[in-house]
Amino acid sequence: MCAIAGVSTGIGSVISLFAKKTDKSFLSFALSFSAGVMIYASLTEIMNKSVSSFNCTYTEKQSSLYSFLCFFSGMILILIIEKLLPENDNKLNRTGVYTALAIGIHNFPEGLATFVSALKDPVLAIPITFAIAIHNIPEGIAVSVPIYFSTGSKKKAFFVSFLSGIAEPLGAVIGYLLLRKFMSDTVFGILFGFVAGIMTFISMTELIPSSMENEKHDKSVPGLITGIAVMALSLYLFK
């Protein structure tokens, strides 16, 4: 189940690779679409997961505070990583790598959560798996588009996107072998809060600016709105 959910990022990658490398309109739309997906998922679904995880141990007010602190800690973490990494003249490629990193980190605890759900109730885990698979498809687009347009390599774009999805079953395997004795609701709350901050930061500092810098930037706003709508609809339909 975790593997099915994770490799669905590859489906999104395949969809995006049908575009022509010279199609600047698609690039602008896809980058802002990806930002819409990540921002909406971060500020609603992932932050809700963080707060609800903290709620298992702390009061509602404390949970909101801890989730908020983790969110901004995630932003600070990715900012520090950006400062430490060497400069890369290929901004699109950097954007794709950062996005893959953020989604991979997000998929890791998500895979562990799917695994735990399946252990408790395999029947309940089936719709959860399907829902995760559906919203992993636009995440695959978010990773592969900037890498493909910056390198021209469909293989590299697909491979990096696929790797970010593999974090899902990897999270399940490591959780089973190593972390099941140490994982707690608080740890899940911290992880989800961090991930939400990282994904929001990347969207605002990498994806949206890259979309707006494109000469076909008139597609940026429609792309952003469409990304938000697609993620909202997928979360609504597969709750």
Side-chain angles (χ1 to χ4, degrees):
M1 288 182 181
C2 293
I4 290 170
V7 299
S8 294
T9 56
I11 298 174
S13 179
V14 169
I15 292 171
S16 69
L17 297 182
F18 279 108
K20 294 180 180 178
K21 188 176 181 292
T22 54
D23 190 347
K24 300 294 186 181
S25 293
F26 176 80
L27 175 61
S28 181
F29 183 90
L31 288 170
S32 57
F33 174 90
S34 302
V37 166
M38 292 175 66
I39 290 172
Y40 188 87
S42 298
L43 298 181
T44 58
E45 184 74 0
I46 300 175
M47 282 298 285
N48 283 340
K49 286 182 179 179
S50 176
V51 173
S52 61
S53 296
F54 280 123
N55 273 338
C56 296
T57 307
Y58 304 99
T59 66
E60 188 172 335
K61 191 171 183 179
Q62 288 174 323
S63 298
S64 297
L65 174 62
Y66 296 152
S67 181
F68 168 84
L69 292 174
C70 290
F71 177 84
F72 281 98
S73 296
M75 285 189 160
I76 293 169
L77 175 64
I78 196 66
L79 178 61
I80 292 171
I81 291 173
E82 280 192 351
K83 296 297 183 184
L84 293 177
L85 288 175
E87 284 295 322
N88 187 342
D89 292 332
N90 195 329
K91 188 175 181 180
L92 271 181
N93 190 55
R94 183 185 67 185
T95 298
V97 171
Y98 284 170
T99 304
L101 177 64
I103 290 176
I105 296 171
H106 161 221
N107 284 350
F108 189 89
E110 196 173 72
L112 184 55
T114 304
F115 178 77
V116 171
S117 299
L119 279 181
K120 292 180 179 179
D121 187 349
V123 176
L124 178 63
I126 292 173
I128 292 174
T129 300
F130 187 61
I132 291 173
I134 290 296
H135 81 250
N136 276 354
I137 291 175
E139 290 178 355
I141 296 174
V143 175
S144 61
V145 165
I147 292 177
Y148 171 51
F149 274 81
S150 63
T151 65
S153 172
K154 293 185 177 183
K155 288 183 179 179
K156 183 176 181 180
F158 178 81
F159 180 68
V160 174
S161 176
F162 183 78
L163 281 182
S164 69
I166 287 297
E168 195 111 15
L170 187 64
V173 171
I174 293 178
Y176 178 71
L177 295 177
L178 300 174
L179 302 178
R180 56 181 176 159
K181 293 182 179 179
F182 305 101
M183 291 301 291
S184 66
D185 292 315
T186 299
V187 172
F188 272 118
I190 293 170
L191 286 174
F192 283 125
F194 262 84
V195 166
I198 290 171
M199 291 176 68
T200 301
F201 185 89
I202 290 172
S203 297
M204 293 190 300
T205 63
E206 300 284 342
L207 291 171
I208 293 176
S210 295
S211 176
M212 294 298 294
E213 286 170 6
N214 194 307
E215 63 222 41
K216 298 287 186 179
H217 62 268
D218 58 307
K219 300 291 191 271
S220 295
V221 173
L224 184 69
I225 294 171
T226 304
I228 292 171
V230 168
M231 182 53 71
L233 185 62
S234 71
L235 292 174
Y236 173 75
L237 292 177
F238 302 104
K239 275 289 186 180

